[in-house]
Amino acid sequence: MGQRLRRFSRPLPVLLVVTALALLARLVALGARVAHQDEGRVADWILHYMTVGQWQYRPIIHGPFLPHVNGVVFSWLGATDATMRLVVAVGGGLLPLCAYLYRDRLRDDEVVIFGLLLAASPALLYYSRFMRNDLLVAACMMAALGCWSRAAATRRIRYVLAGTLPFALAFTMKENALLYPVAWIGAGVLVLDRHLLAAALSERGLVASVTDAVGEWRRSAETRTAAAFLLALPAALLVFAAVVVAFYAPIPEVYGLFGGPGAFAGVVETATVDTWHAFVGTWAHAGMSSHSTVEFVGRLLKIVGLTATVTCAFALVGFVRERYGRGGTRNVVEFCFYWGTASIFGYAVVTDILAGWLATHVVAPLALPAAVGLAWVHRVGKRGYVAGEPIAFRLAAAVLLVSAAVVGGTAAYTSYAAPQDGETNPLVQYAQPAGEMKPTLAEIETVAAAHDGIDVVFYGEEFYNPSDLERPPSLEIESGGYPGWFARLPLPWYFDRYGARVGSTTDRSVLADRQPPVVIALESEAGAVRSALDADAYTERTHQGYQSGRPLVFFVRDDATEGATTDAASADAAGAMPAPNGSVVAA
């Protein structure tokens, strides 16, 4: 039994348990929260891409990773709120395993605590349950750096190529992947500066110390390793290029990639040069950063401070212990502290929208120095217990228990108790609908299955599409929508899945004549709708389209669900997916 316990105390078995729990935490009730408007927008576009069989890079929805991968997931498992978040949830659940890649630089207890923070940090958990690329980018970059750290420690070339794959995938997820190498270079310069300062203060002086270090390096086996790494660089670049082209190549043009030199060159040019021009045209101009940097820094610091209090506090402890302690500074601890701290200011400068998902890019790197700080407290308590010093042991135990309670309590509240409450949950972005809309949406799904003709009518100028009462609205590839589509988000994602026929009008007489099964209007327009409908025949419910300031009123006719069929349930059971315009795409 003792030997089994010793084996279990090693980092990998513990991290496997932590990862299993992290996956469970991300998958439970994954579809409970109503879709954020960004989630609904991108998910509905994915349905459209699947229907028309065409895809092209649109910078406003970021990289092609989720459209391509979720298209496969939807085909296999159907399109639901849970399945649209599944890929991100699995990526977030596996994130604690990244800690094992840093085992050459950290102690065993530090590796385990690092994995725990990656599993339970509130921002990382919340945005693992959200269909957005930020968490995946952070996870891929942590994995890439970990693989390259292993390559340097073990001198094994395979880790260079292994790290290139997640690094390349990050660039297919979101354009802010470009900021990671910039942050790494900055952090690396600060670490190097510390070494140069130490050399300058040594007895031999800066020049002699650097000369000795270079000479020793050239005589060591690391020179041969560096040469081997340089030889592996072309293979790494090839892997990077292959991943980028495979994801960014337009559909259906990519299917003719090997149709000849001209076709190959055209696809590659579209996936690289044209993609770069599209990115620059959308994101690299003054309009995207025309905001107060000071204000954005303050807001991001507030989000991180409120939801990652323990991580921030102990990241500082870990950094100070390493930087000014007697045992010497480990480069990776200092590096990750600089990386995470710089990210706060970097994202405040370049982002166009300050939202909770940016916290993932700060918390992930800060988790490593925070693990070092918490592990130091753990060792102080352990030494106190062994030495019979109850005060040290009890104080350390209290600090660790309080830290665990703060992290766990904040994570449980933000992800499960109040995932849509922007007033009390700092991670909630304003375009997240508030309140309990899911029961009303379920009723509309039943209406769509029971009713022929127009199922839902939007009333008001904001939602109006001149043609959708006569024919089903069709998303346009270039614009990404149709008149009124953006104002209706995230509802089109639900209605297209349900196969609901949707119309719109600004004429009350249309409502009076048709008495539609479901009418949706802004609260400011609800009086006009009431006067046109037979009020006694409808049940009225109000839900927030945003966190506040945009309440939507749903009028559902009481007899609209009579004669409901099981067509939708049968389609789900058969593995078919309701698609835009009421059609069905077979899996």
Side-chain angles (χ1 to χ4, degrees):
M1 174 66 74
Q3 189 171 359
R4 290 180 182 177
L5 289 174
R6 283 196 296 274
R7 282 202 301 268
F8 192 76
S9 68
R10 297 172 184 170
L12 184 57
V14 179
L15 284 178
L16 290 174
V17 174
V18 170
T19 301
L21 294 174
L23 285 167
L24 179 62
R26 283 152 176 80
L27 295 176
V28 64
L30 185 58
R33 176 176 53 82
V34 69
H36 181 279
Q37 293 209 19
D38 273 3
E39 289 182 300
R41 175 172 58 103
V42 177
D44 200 40
W45 272 329
I46 295 172
L47 292 183
H48 178 64
Y49 295 149
M50 295 174 67
T51 302
V52 302
Q54 295 181 358
W55 179 87
Q56 64 185 36
Y57 173 57
R58 299 186 68 242
I60 199 65
I61 62 170
H62 303 302
F65 181 84
L66 282 176
H68 290 341
V69 175
N70 268 5
V72 175
V73 172
F74 290 171
S75 293
W76 289 355
L77 303 177
T80 66
D81 283 350
T83 57
M84 80 169 175
R85 298 168 183 148
L86 181 62
V87 173
V88 183
V90 171
L94 296 177
L95 180 57
L97 288 178
C98 288
Y100 196 60
L101 295 171
Y102 294 83
R103 63 190 182 276
D104 301 295
R105 315 292 179 183
L106 302 175
R107 299 182 181 186
D108 286 353
D109 54 353
E110 293 168 344
V111 170
V112 171
I113 295 174
F114 184 23
L116 286 168
L117 288 175
L118 293 177
S121 293
L124 300 180
L125 176 60
Y126 186 88
Y127 284 103
S128 292
R129 298 167 55 84
F130 195 107
M131 193 193 75
R132 192 173 176 87
N133 295 284
D134 291 84
L135 186 281
L136 293 176
V137 173
C140 282
M141 289 303 192
M142 292 299 299
L145 188 65
C147 286
W148 292 334
S149 173
R150 284 286 291 162
T154 64
R155 302 174 184 173
R156 293 174 181 170
I157 303 300
R158 65 173 179 264
Y159 284 111
V160 175
L161 300 179
T164 303
L165 181 59
F167 183 74
L169 285 174
F171 279 82
T172 71
M173 294 167 180
K174 192 178 178 184
E175 298 82 356
N176 74 308
L178 289 165
L179 299 179
Y180 275 79
V182 174
W184 290 348
I185 291 171
V189 167
L190 291 175
V191 172
L192 177 61
D193 179 70
R194 191 253 304 165
H195 283 287
L196 293 177
L197 178 61
L201 296 175
S202 66
E203 292 182 0
R204 291 184 55 78
L206 176 61
V207 176
S209 297
V210 171
T211 302
D212 291 347
V214 171
E216 184 180 349
W217 179 80
R218 291 181 62 184
R219 291 189 296 271
S220 71
E222 292 183 6
T223 346
R224 295 190 295 275
T225 304
F229 284 175
L230 286 175
L231 291 175
L233 187 58
L237 291 174
L238 183 62
V239 169
F240 182 87
V243 170
V244 168
V245 170
F247 274 91
Y248 280 97
I251 297 174
E253 288 83 356
V254 67
Y255 302 134
L257 180 66
F258 299 106
F264 182 86
V267 170
V268 171
E269 181 180 8
T270 302
T272 55
V273 177
D274 291 352
T275 292
W276 176 256
H277 289 320
F279 158 70
V280 171
T282 300
W283 297 110
H285 60 81
M288 283 297 178
S289 57
S290 57
H291 57 263
S292 169
T293 300
V294 173
E295 178 190 354
F296 272 30
V297 167
R299 288 170 57 189
L300 185 53
L301 280 172
K302 181 179 179 181
I303 293 171
V304 173
L306 290 175
T307 62
T309 311
V310 170
T311 299
C312 292
F314 282 96
L316 183 59
V317 171
F319 169 73
V320 171
R321 283 278 307 166
E322 287 289 315
R323 186 70 173 80
Y324 304 105
R326 296 177 181 178
T329 303
R330 287 171 290 181
N331 292 337
V332 71
V333 179
E334 191 177 357
F335 180 93
C336 286
F337 181 82
Y338 292 143
W339 165 18
T341 303
S343 296
I344 294 176
F345 299 96
Y347 280 97
V349 171
V350 303
T351 190
D352 63 321
I353 297 175
L354 200 289
W357 50 69
L358 297 178
T360 59
H361 305 291
V362 177
V363 173
L366 287 183
L368 190 148
V372 172
L374 285 165
W376 170 70
V377 174
H378 167 257
R379 288 193 294 273
V380 168
K382 186 177 180 180
R383 286 196 297 268
Y385 178 79
V386 172
E389 299 175 358
I391 294 178
F393 169 71
R394 291 170 182 170
L395 184 60
V399 170
L400 293 176
L401 288 173
V402 170
S403 299
V406 170
V407 173
T410 305
Y413 182 80
T414 53
S415 288
Y416 306 110
Q420 297 174 217
D421 186 357
E423 293 186 2
T424 61
N425 184 350
L427 294 173
V428 176
Q429 202 256 357
Y430 72 87
Q432 170 66 55
E436 296 297 325
M437 193 185 294
K438 281 294 183 80
T440 302
L441 293 173
E443 192 169 357
I444 295 174
E445 182 177 14
T446 305
V447 170
H451 183 260
D452 294 325
I454 298 290
D455 302 304
V456 180
V457 173
F458 284 90
Y459 177 81
E461 190 68 38
E462 185 174 354
F463 305 118
Y464 183 56
N465 179 2
S467 63
D468 63 5
L469 277 178
E470 287 72 37
R471 61 180 183 274
S474 177
L475 289 172
E476 297 294 333
I477 290 288
E478 292 296 330
S479 66
Y482 49 77
W485 183 80
F486 285 93
R488 302 174 187 182
L489 289 171
L491 299 177
W493 153 244
Y494 292 101
F495 298 162
D496 286 343
R497 280 169 43 203
Y498 302 161
R501 178 73 185 276
V502 179
S504 63
T505 185
T506 57
D507 187 349
R508 283 185 296 174
S509 65
V510 172
L511 301 181
D513 293 341
R514 299 200 179 195
Q515 299 291 306
V518 179
V519 180
I520 302 173
L522 293 173
E523 190 174 52
S524 59
E525 305 271 11
V529 175
R530 292 189 195 98
S531 66
L533 299 178
D534 180 0
D536 294 336
Y538 284 81
T539 298
E540 183 179 329
R541 302 180 184 90
T542 302
H543 301 291
Q544 290 289 354
Y546 290 110
Q547 280 297 293
S548 61
R550 194 174 181 270
L552 299 175
V553 182
F554 292 71
F555 298 84
V556 183
R557 203 173 67 213
D558 296 333
D559 64 353
T561 59
E562 293 180 2
T565 66
T566 58
D567 291 347
S570 301
D572 286 342
M577 179 189 67
N581 307 333
S583 60
V584 173
V585 178

